[in-house]
Amino acid sequence: MPSHDETSPVAPRAGSVRRPAPARTRSTGGGGAAGRGRPPAGGRARTTASRTGAGAPPRTGGPGRPPAGRGPAKGSAKPKGKGPRSKKQRRKRRLKIAAGVIGGLFVLLGVFVGVVYASTEVPSPDSISTAQTTVIYYSDGQSEMARLGDENRTNVQLEEVSEPARNAVLAAENRSFFSDPGISFTGIIRATWNNLTGGSTQGGSTITQQYVKNAILQNSEQTFSRKFQELFLAIKLDNNYSKDQILENYLNTIYYGRGAYGIESAANTYFGVPAAQLTAEQGAVLAVLIRSPSANDPEVDPEGAQRRWGLVLDAMVEEEWMSADARAAAVYPPVLPKAGSSLGIPSGPEGLIVQQVKRELMERYQYSEQQVDAGGLRITTTVNAGHQDIAEATVAGVMDGEPENLREALVAVDPRTGGVTAYYGGAVGTDNDYARAQRQPGSSMKPYALAAALDQGIGVEARRDGSSPQKFEDRELEVVNSGGASCASCTLREAITRSLNTTFYGLAYEVGPDKVREVALAATGMPESWQIGGQEKPTLANADGLTGSAIGIGEYEMRPINQAVGFATFASGGIYRTPHFIQSVADSEGAVLLKNEGEAGEQVIRPDVANDVTYALLDVADSSDRGLDGGREVASKTGTQGLNRTDNSDAWMVGYTPSISTAVWIGSDVREPIKDYRERIIYGSGLPGQIWQEFMDAVLAGTPEEDMADEPMIEGDTGEGVEAPAPEPTETSAPPPPPAPEQPVDDGTTEEDPADPVEPPVEEPVDPADPETPTDPQGGTPALPANPGNPQNPPGGGNPNG
């Protein structure tokens, strides 16, 4: 039997009819064409009917079938099925498959869009206002420090906004607002193209889209996901609310700069009138601010603001919202001066922390003012609530009853992370920040000179001439020690404990002032230059930009935060970590945007140098009667800057353990004598030392004691040492009286303070010229004039702000 049904092809053909199989007969070689025998195996044979000539008439062949009675070519062994498809057929087949796939994708996309649209919820205007509020927390992430964005906001109904002001906003942002579907297709296509090609991220969104982006999503990123969200929300918003409702919500939630949220607050902030009284000219000023509140502020960029203002008025004329005559007569309206916004900033000392947080977000992390003030951020700071309370209470308690002209600053830094744990720059949160004021550090600068010497192989047991007075080649006036102290051969450790000016001026001269400056800049992270009056001026230099040996005794300005960070570098074994206030930032939904748990830091001072600086500073606190409770080890240094022969202008106390570094400063707004309520001269170990001691004791109470340097690691003296003094004969008589307390010097050099200073000798005070104090062009911090006491190497003057 053949392997297949001889009455049908292998694969059915179109139009063929299945016939019942007739009775088959084995071919005997006859009955067919003459001379034809049995077809080859696998070939196609004639039907029984054709071979016998009986039964049904011969098949004439159907569509796609050869004429009846014709078999395959002689010798064919392959069954005949479909022939190979042509290129046209294959192309059609592929097109059909592709069309099916695309159609399926469109169906899936339609289902997805429908589900997403149905599940998209448009928040209420009240919840949007809450979401815009930025909340700042202490380091525990729970205790609130401040809220930004929920105070200078007054919602009004649309009819309470003047029609010219409304038209100005429409002319600037979305002329077709009342006729468009809530989205701009050309804007979406342009944004998509720019996203793909890396082109400009220019605007083009409708007011509805802007409302979604700025008020609901609070996200200005040019990404597909954000645009996708914006698209659905804008469409649903346009379907669910009237155009008037959308415009009203938009005008009430948009940020106009200067801390003003909504057009009512903006009208009062910029013009002192309600929104209902805004003129077309005033409305155009506000309309210009919407795109970039800070950059387009007329006080920041008056020319640019007026140019854009004119374009808005021109657009109003084109839309027939303003007559050509009125446009020709239009004059740029007067704008109220820009005042420091206190929006949400606490009035107490923590307000200065909030300002530092905002600065860090904008300068270090490149956040815009609008993102910070109106972005609904949740910011956790590094500031410990308990440490901050202690700092404020300690300053207030110690300074209670002291003269009104005195100003204070306290900064505490964690050496292990660089995080600021306490920050006091003044009692008023919107006033000058004295923690960032540039002041002459006096003897609190000496550790950097010691570190420079150690780096050159001059150990802390090396001896130097500390006799007083002394002359130096780079200075016209003599250098003297405070209170007449003198030591012809003291070790550097003894000299820094006794704070001998002559020793450390001479040491800076020996190792090189530039080397001392290099060490100080590395340890503190201070910049190479400050901005002074719009000009770059070198840091740690005099008014001429030169650094002399006076750097060794602290005649060049630093800030309290610099000293806290610099001493923290010593505490961490020479590793510098950038000081910071921000621990983490999240959005209003809790999604973390950035996190700073402290950096690994950079080894800027050799560990053995840092160890030996610490070792040399361990006796200072006890010698000043400022030792910590329980004899806890602490490295510290006092600092006092003289104003004239009898008075001081600045007093410092700076010290650290491995877990905290704290700097305290006391001075005044101008360079003037600082005295306590009993008219006693203020030294570093006086009021600053008391604040520092009480603060350190309180924050360290109950914490484990930490080991500090037990012995020096650098031995020897590669420099210009002096011989050790001969031992004095033992006497049984009464011990000699203690050295006289340090007294201010007459040439601006630093002096140190005893634990219990005595009244200074009566001398005629020098009354140097005291020019009017310059102002700080950047931060508003008080400035000090240059020290007039040293014509060849005067201390740095002015008020640079880094």
Side-chain angles (χ1 to χ4, degrees):
M1 174 181 285
S3 61
H4 59 274
D5 186 353
E6 293 181 346
T7 63
S8 65
V10 175
R13 298 178 182 272
S16 63
V17 178
R18 180 79 176 179
R19 296 172 181 270
R24 296 176 180 171
T25 60
R26 184 177 298 276
S27 174
T28 61
R36 176 167 296 195
R38 185 177 179 179
R44 181 172 179 82
R46 293 175 182 168
T47 64
T48 304
S50 67
R51 290 199 306 270
T52 61
R59 294 170 66 184
T60 59
R65 181 186 296 275
R70 296 184 61 184
K74 188 175 182 179
S76 175
K78 184 176 181 180
K80 188 171 182 180
K82 287 185 178 180
R85 293 187 178 90
S86 66
K87 292 183 178 179
K88 184 176 181 180
Q89 288 174 322
R90 290 196 298 270
R91 185 165 55 253
K92 286 183 176 180
R93 180 179 175 84
R94 286 195 293 266
L95 289 175
K96 288 179 180 179
I97 294 173
V101 171
I102 293 173
L105 290 176
F106 270 112
V107 171
L108 291 176
L109 180 62
V111 173
F112 175 74
V113 169
V115 171
V116 172
Y117 182 84
S119 61
T120 299
E121 294 185 4
V122 178
S124 67
D126 288 341
S127 64
I128 289 173
S129 297
T130 300
Q132 284 183 297
T133 301
T134 290
V135 184
I136 301 177
Y137 299 95
Y138 286 98
S139 60
D140 60 6
Q142 301 294 325
S143 306
E144 283 192 18
M145 183 185 299
R147 284 179 170 255
L148 307 178
D150 63 348
E151 292 185 7
N152 193 11
R153 184 196 304 272
T154 303
N155 292 341
V156 292
Q157 295 181 351
L158 187 61
E159 55 267 25
E160 295 178 80
V161 180
S162 72
E163 185 175 359
R166 280 181 270 162
N167 290 336
V169 172
L170 294 174
E173 295 300 319
N174 188 188
R175 301 188 202 181
S176 62
F177 170 72
F178 282 99
S179 60
D180 65 39
I183 60 174
S184 169
F185 292 103
T186 58
I188 292 172
I189 294 171
R190 181 170 60 250
T192 302
W193 175 253
N194 289 338
N195 214 291
L196 291 172
T197 61
S200 169
T201 57
Q202 59 184 342
S205 299
T206 65
I207 278 179
T208 308
Q209 288 175 269
Q210 289 184 48
Y211 176 66
V212 169
K213 176 179 66 176
N214 297 322
I216 300 177
L217 296 179
Q218 300 169 7
N219 185 346
S220 299
E221 294 180 359
Q222 296 293 324
T223 61
F224 290 116
S225 60
R226 202 273 298 162
K227 280 290 184 183
F228 192 74
Q229 287 180 293
E230 178 186 308
L231 178 68
F232 277 94
L233 280 167
I235 294 174
K236 192 156 191 177
L237 192 69
D238 196 74
N239 290 339
N240 292 355
Y241 290 87
S242 70
K243 289 290 187 178
D244 282 349
Q245 287 176 309
I246 295 172
L247 182 59
E248 177 181 306
N249 293 340
Y250 174 80
L251 293 175
N252 279 326
T253 56
I254 204 71
Y255 182 63
Y256 290 87
R258 299 192 183 184
Y261 296 81
I263 196 166
E264 177 73 8
S265 297
N268 279 280
T269 299
Y270 288 88
F271 302 109
V273 299
Q277 296 179 15
L278 287 170
T279 65
E281 292 84 353
Q282 292 172 331
V285 171
L286 299 183
V288 166
L289 295 169
I290 292 174
R291 287 291 177 92
S292 183
S294 299
N296 292 342
D297 190 300
E299 195 167 298
V300 174
D301 182 14
E303 293 183 1
Q306 292 192 34
R307 178 176 57 81
R308 298 180 186 94
W309 171 82
L311 295 176
V312 173
L313 294 184
D314 292 341
M316 294 178 68
V317 173
E318 292 177 13
E319 296 296 324
E320 298 182 354
W321 294 332
M322 185 179 193
S323 69
D325 291 341
R327 169 67 183 95
V331 178
Y332 195 85
V335 177
L336 295 176
K338 185 177 183 180
S341 173
S342 60
L343 175 63
I345 297 178
S347 59
E350 64 274 19
L352 299 174
I353 300 174
V354 173
Q355 295 193 42
Q356 292 306 311
V357 169
K358 293 178 64 175
R359 173 192 289 219
E360 188 171 320
L361 279 172
M362 291 188 283
E363 294 183 0
R364 184 170 181 178
Y365 297 108
Q366 303 303 305
Y367 277 67
S368 68
E369 180 186 14
Q370 182 168 354
Q371 286 176 304
V372 175
D373 288 340
L377 303 177
R378 301 297 182 261
I379 304 168
T380 300
T381 69
T382 60
V383 178
N384 183 292
H387 290 190
Q388 185 65 23
D389 288 344
I390 292 170
E392 294 177 19
T394 301
V395 172
V398 172
M399 300 305 295
D400 184 32
E402 297 295 341
E404 293 294 327
N405 70 311
L406 297 180
R407 302 290 181 262
E408 313 82 30
L410 182 154
V411 181
V413 173
D414 185 343
R416 301 162 298 189
T417 65
V420 177
T421 65
Y423 190 87
Y424 182 95
V428 181
T430 56
D431 203 347
N432 290 330
D433 186 349
Y434 295 98
R436 296 183 61 84
Q438 288 75 39
R439 299 300 192 208
Q440 293 165 296
S443 290
S444 65
M445 186 72 187
K446 291 174 181 175
Y448 305 107
L450 177 61
L454 288 163
D455 192 58
Q456 296 185 13
I458 303 173
V460 295
E461 300 301 332
R463 295 181 178 274
R464 291 295 184 271
D465 183 5
S467 57
S468 177
Q470 284 191 51
K471 286 281 292 182
F472 294 91
E473 293 181 4
D474 67 338
R475 188 182 185 95
E476 180 178 341
L477 297 177
E478 291 180 330
V479 178
V480 299
N481 293 328
S482 181
S486 185
C487 180
S489 179
C490 274
T491 67
L492 294 181
R493 186 187 187 201
E494 293 170 338
I496 204 167
T497 301
R498 298 179 64 179
S499 201
L500 301 177
N501 294 332
T502 54
T503 298
F504 283 91
Y505 188 100
L507 192 64
Y509 181 76
E510 178 183 342
V511 302
D514 288 337
K515 176 62 177 177
V516 178
R517 179 178 184 271
E518 177 185 329
V519 170
L521 293 185
T524 62
M526 292 169 65
E528 282 286 337
S529 60
W530 309 96
Q531 278 283 344
I532 306 175
Q535 296 182 345
E536 293 283 335
K537 296 290 185 181
T539 49
L540 295 177
N542 63 19
D544 297 324
L546 303 175
T547 299
S549 302
I551 191 173
I553 54 176
E555 287 190 2
Y556 309 134
E557 285 94 345
M558 299 177 73
R559 301 174 301 184
I561 190 171
N562 297 143
Q563 283 293 62
V565 173
F567 278 52
T569 299
F570 293 131
S572 63
I575 297 175
Y576 168 79
R577 293 182 172 90
T578 305
H580 61 278
F581 289 82
I582 296 173
Q583 185 180 144
S584 66
V585 177
D587 62 20
S588 59
E589 300 297 322
V592 177
L593 304 177
L594 68 88
K595 200 172 186 67
N596 185 359
E597 296 178 341
E599 56 189 42
E602 179 183 0
Q603 191 80 49
V604 298
I605 295 175
R606 294 194 341 241
D608 55 347
V609 172
N611 175 87
D612 287 15
V613 169
T614 298
Y615 175 76
L617 298 178
L618 290 177
D619 291 339
V620 174
D622 285 337
S623 69
S624 301
D625 284 344
R626 292 303 175 194
L628 300 186
D629 285 347
R632 183 189 292 265
E633 284 189 315
V634 63
S636 63
K637 188 69 192 80
T638 54
T640 309
Q641 182 63 37
L643 178 65
N644 50 47
R645 287 183 179 272
T646 59
D647 296 312
N648 296 334
S649 59
D650 300 272
W652 300 71
M653 183 77 180
V654 191
Y656 59 89
T657 68
S659 59
I660 188 169
S661 172
T662 304
V664 176
W665 165 87
I666 287 181
S668 62
D669 285 331
V670 296
R671 200 164 185 266
E672 63 184 0
I674 53 172
K675 297 181 180 181
D676 66 13
Y677 76 100
R678 288 183 289 182
E679 289 296 314
R680 297 184 307 177
I681 296 171
I682 296 175
Y683 296 91
S685 66
L687 294 177
Q690 184 179 351
I691 293 172
W692 176 87
Q693 182 184 43
E694 292 185 14
F695 173 80
M696 293 288 280
D697 278 337
V699 299
L700 291 171
T703 64
E705 292 194 14
E706 301 160 293
D707 291 332
M708 302 187 72
D710 296 323
E711 59 183 13
M713 301 175 68
I714 299 172
E715 298 181 357
D717 185 358
T718 61
E720 303 169 2
V722 297
E723 296 292 332
E728 297 181 1
T730 304
E731 296 183 5
T732 57
S733 58
E742 298 171 289
Q743 302 300 334
V745 292
D746 63 345
D747 60 351
T749 58
T750 177
E751 68 253 28
E752 275 316 306
D753 47 293
D756 187 14
V758 298
E759 293 295 327
V762 178
E763 297 184 20
E764 287 296 323
V766 176
D767 186 18
D770 187 8
E772 183 177 351
T773 303
T775 58
D776 179 2
Q778 293 189 6
T781 49
L784 291 179
N787 188 333
N790 180 8
Q792 287 192 354
N793 190 19
N799 184 28
N801 186 5

